[in-house]
Amino acid sequence: MNTEDLELLEAVEPTVARLTAEHRERRENWYAHEYVPWEKGRSFVDEPWDPSQATLSPEVRTSLVLNLLTEDNLPYYHAEIAGRLPRDGAYAEWANLWTAEEGQHAIALRSYLLTSRNCDPVSLEEDRMATMEAGHFSGYEDPAALFVYTATQELATRVSHRNAGRLADDETAYSLMARIATDENHHFLFYRGVASEMLEQSPETMLEPIFRVFDNFKMPGTVIPGFVRRAVDMARVGVYSLRIHHDRVLEPLLRDWRIEHLTGLSAKAREFQEKIMEIPDRVLKAAEIFERRTARLAGSS
Ligand SMILES: [Fe+2]
Ligand SMILES: [Fe+2]
């Protein structure tokens, strides 16, 4: 890591400690068994899975499975966060706490999907193996981009979990996904808070990483088999789409970080400021193209 990155990490460490303490204040212990319908669990050996047993719509099942496989890849997210940040002090305390909380998401979601028979246990395991063997790295090696990316990703995940639960039309799925989304929101508040402090301390150097992340934002699930097909299904039903990304993720973050209103910047930084402010329109145009195409396909079927 270069000296500038180390200095930035050192400069925001007090904020990391403060935000971790605030997170501990806010967090509530919760237990997967309070949500999982264990009484419905039956042997898949005696009674193999069949799609007719599912109680949720195919699109909602696709969304929940994709979100589960994304959560399953936690070892890679941990490796990236813990591996690129200092291994002691406030950074390590946060990385460990965050990893422990994330670990429960896949446990709870998998238990729900299997007990309620809303996924095929064989293809789920095959997809998990393929996903984890593919591995995942965001590609952001500098701490500035890593915090901006993780803030964006936590917010996107919160929205996706919440919408999948809402559209499930099932009390258990609704409350479980709302519970997980609350965790993601708390994670988002932490990562956004650290990135805000970095921006406060060093607006000049933060605009380039913000541009790099926003210009090419990808959810961590892209290594999942059939990701594009599944993501299109999720977009069609309104779990997560380009328009949702624009309205619920990009615009709020640009407002929170007051990107448009930053002043006193160098010519280079101003250039990134302008390029960042062009991104939402581009995403919206792509969203409109997707929606028109989807409507056309729906009309012709
Ligand atoms: Fe999670
Ligand atoms: Fe999270």
Side-chain angles (χ1 to χ4, degrees), residues 94-281:
W94 167 259
N96 295 352
L97 174 60
W98 171 72
T99 304
E101 291 184 2
E102 287 290 358
Q104 197 176 19
H105 298 168
I107 294 171
L109 194 39
R110 171 169 280 97
S111 305
Y112 166 71
L113 285 171
L114 291 177
T115 48
S116 66
R117 294 210 167 220
N118 274 301
C119 74
D120 175 354
V122 175
S123 62
L124 179 66
E125 177 56 12
E126 284 167 357
D127 286 350
R128 188 194 66 81
M129 280 298 292
T131 302
M132 293 198 72
E133 281 199 77
H136 176 268
F137 286 98
S138 72
Y140 300 113
E141 300 194 2
D142 49 317
L146 198 59
F147 274 95
V148 171
Y149 175 74
T150 313
T152 313
Q153 177 272 118
E154 290 283 2
L155 178 56
T157 308
R158 170 189 111 187
V159 171
S160 179
H161 283 330
R162 194 84 174 89
N163 285 345
R166 261 199 205 113
L167 289 164
D169 199 20
D170 173 282
E171 189 48 47
T172 308
Y174 175 83
S175 6
L176 173 64
M177 297 316 283
R179 179 59 256 186
I180 297 177
T182 302
D183 279 6
E184 309 298 17
N185 187 44
H186 294 168
H187 298 160
F188 160 65
L189 293 175
F190 172 86
Y191 288 103
R192 183 190 62 181
V194 177
S196 300
E197 181 61 22
M198 288 175 167
L199 192 63
E200 179 82 19
Q201 294 201 12
S202 172
E204 277 293 313
T205 53
M206 283 301 283
L207 289 167
E208 186 279 330
I210 292 175
F211 171 73
R212 210 174 342 128
V213 171
F214 280 15
D215 189 45
N216 187 31
F217 180 76
K218 284 194 182 69
M219 285 296 267
T222 47
V223 292
I224 294 167
F227 175 81
V228 174
R229 181 179 36 82
R230 297 186 202 210
V232 166
D233 278 354
M234 286 169 75
R236 268 195 306 113
V237 292
V239 172
Y240 204 85
S241 63
L242 285 168
R243 185 175 292 277
I244 294 173
H245 183 64
H246 171 275
D247 294 354
R248 304 281 309 277
V249 176
L250 281 180
E251 288 282 16
L253 278 173
L254 292 178
R255 270 199 306 274
D256 288 344
W257 286 330
R258 307 189 76 258
I259 300 294
E260 201 176 2
H261 307 289
L262 293 176
T263 52
L265 301 167
S266 69
K268 189 84 207 143
R270 267 206 317 275
E271 207 180 292
F272 281 116
Q273 181 184 34
E274 277 166 29
K275 281 161 75 175
I276 294 169
M277 296 313 298
E278 287 164 6
I279 295 173
D281 262 359

